[in-house]
Amino acid sequence: MEQFNHALTTVFGIALLGALGFEISRRRRKLRDLYNVLDAEDKHVVAELDDLVASGRLQPYVAN
Amino acid sequence: MTQQDDELSDKTRSRTRRSRAAAAAQTAPDASAALAESGSTAGPRFHFFLIDSGWNSAAARVIRENIEMITRFQNDDPLFILDQEQSTALMRRHPHLIGKDPILLARDLHARGASGDGEYHGFHLNMGLVKDPVTAVAGLRKFLHLLAVHRHGANIEDVVKEQLHRAGLKGAIEILREGGEAMLG
């Protein structure tokens, strides 16, 4: 019986830690989606934005 | 010295003063031009871009209404706003951006390796992922705060990564606290 209790506690412990790890990673991913550093995927976007600025098709915003 | 001599010397002094003033006036624009040039060499730290295809959402309204805060708190670094057409065209070419706009993108021009060697450094705030206006304002504030506080730092990317790591730890503590509260009823 004692062995069964130990096994059950271990299983619950592992499940709890797993759930905790999953939740932390979910929150961090959500935060990373919201704001993060520019990555390889953004490289081409930034290059296009630079082109727009260099060609004069984008002008700096001037407050009214 | 005769009165005529005095008048002559007065005229000479006055002419000398005028020519000095003229020389100074000529030097002043040169000096200010040089200063402007040295300033422009240093240049702005960031180029901000707002990509907004025109979604009607709370977060979009927040960013449109607070647009001036970006330049105000970022030392007047230039902000480039893409119009709907430009934003849509960009998103068609880069579909991973769809649904994330309005996107505020800050390109760090002084970051290490950002000198035209194909490396791009900076940050993005994907406001389109935020549902409620309060969180949107908080996100915008946090983003501007982070950039303003660390704008003279050599590597802001490390700071942002550290913040994300800390947020993850904070999240873990929050989860534990919420779990504890749930268990206590």
Side-chain angles (χ1 to χ4, degrees):
Chain A
M1 187 65 187
E2 203 174 308
Q3 254 187 334
F4 174 75
N5 281 345
H6 271 299
L8 199 67
T9 312
T10 310
V11 167
F12 269 115
I14 291 169
L16 194 71
L17 282 175
L20 189 69
F22 177 78
E23 183 61 19
I24 291 168
S25 121
R26 193 186 66 86
R27 287 192 185 197
R28 286 180 77 175
R29 201 170 48 242
K30 209 173 156 188
L31 208 60
R32 258 191 222 123
D33 281 344
L34 179 62
Y35 79 100
N36 205 348
V37 296
L38 298 178
D39 54 23
E41 219 174 19
D42 300 312
K43 190 177 157 178
H44 303 290
V45 176
V46 177
E48 279 196 40
L49 292 173
D50 277 353
D51 283 345
L52 283 172
V53 173
S55 66
R57 278 176 287 161
L58 258 186
Q59 293 294 327
Y61 166 77
V62 182
N64 297 319
Chain B
M1 264 199 337
T2 60
Q3 198 183 345
Q4 211 175 8
D5 284 341
D6 279 342
E7 272 174 22
L8 198 69
S9 99
D10 277 345
K11 273 181 190 169
T12 314
R13 252 183 258 134
S14 138
R15 211 176 293 141
T16 314
R17 269 201 302 269
R18 269 204 304 271
S19 63
R20 273 187 198 152
Q26 206 172 12
T27 320
D30 288 348
S32 57
L35 198 70
E37 203 178 306
S38 71
S40 71
T41 309
R45 171 80 198 234
F46 298 107
H47 271 181
F48 289 94
F49 296 94
L50 181 64
I51 304 161
D52 183 3
S53 63
W55 287 103
N56 181 16
S57 67
R61 278 192 294 277
V62 163
I63 203 154
R64 283 169 207 148
E65 282 165 15
N66 292 286
I67 205 78
E68 280 180 30
M69 305 305 263
I70 299 166
T71 47
R72 198 180 296 171
F73 289 122
Q74 299 301 328
N75 295 17
D76 293 321
D77 281 358
L79 165 69
F80 301 95
I81 302 176
L82 280 79
D83 59 30
Q84 272 192 28
E85 220 172 275
Q86 289 169 325
S87 299
T88 311
L90 189 76
M91 280 180 203
R92 277 188 189 157
R93 285 191 294 276
H94 305 281
H96 73 277
L97 298 177
I98 295 173
K100 292 179 181 173
D101 70 305
I103 300 167
L104 182 60
L105 193 146
R107 189 179 165 209
D108 190 353
L109 303 170
H110 294 183
R112 256 178 278 154
S115 50
D117 51 3
E119 272 191 56
Y120 296 99
H121 297 267
F123 317 91
H124 58 77
L125 177 68
N126 298 329
M127 295 284 279
L129 299 175
V130 184
K131 301 277 186 296
D132 71 297
V134 178
T135 315
V137 174
L140 183 61
R141 274 188 196 151
K142 192 172 179 176
F143 189 73
L144 295 180
H145 168 87
L146 195 76
L147 296 185
V149 169
H150 300 285
R151 68 179 294 119
H152 300 296
N155 200 347
I156 309 182
E157 286 187 351
D158 285 347
V159 178
V160 170
K161 282 176 189 166
E162 194 190 318
Q163 290 260 335
L164 286 169
H165 181 69
R166 249 190 254 158
L169 290 176
K170 199 177 151 200
I173 295 164
E174 257 174 48
I175 295 162
L176 286 172
R177 189 175 53 80
E178 284 165 16
E181 278 172 5
M183 276 199 283
L184 289 170

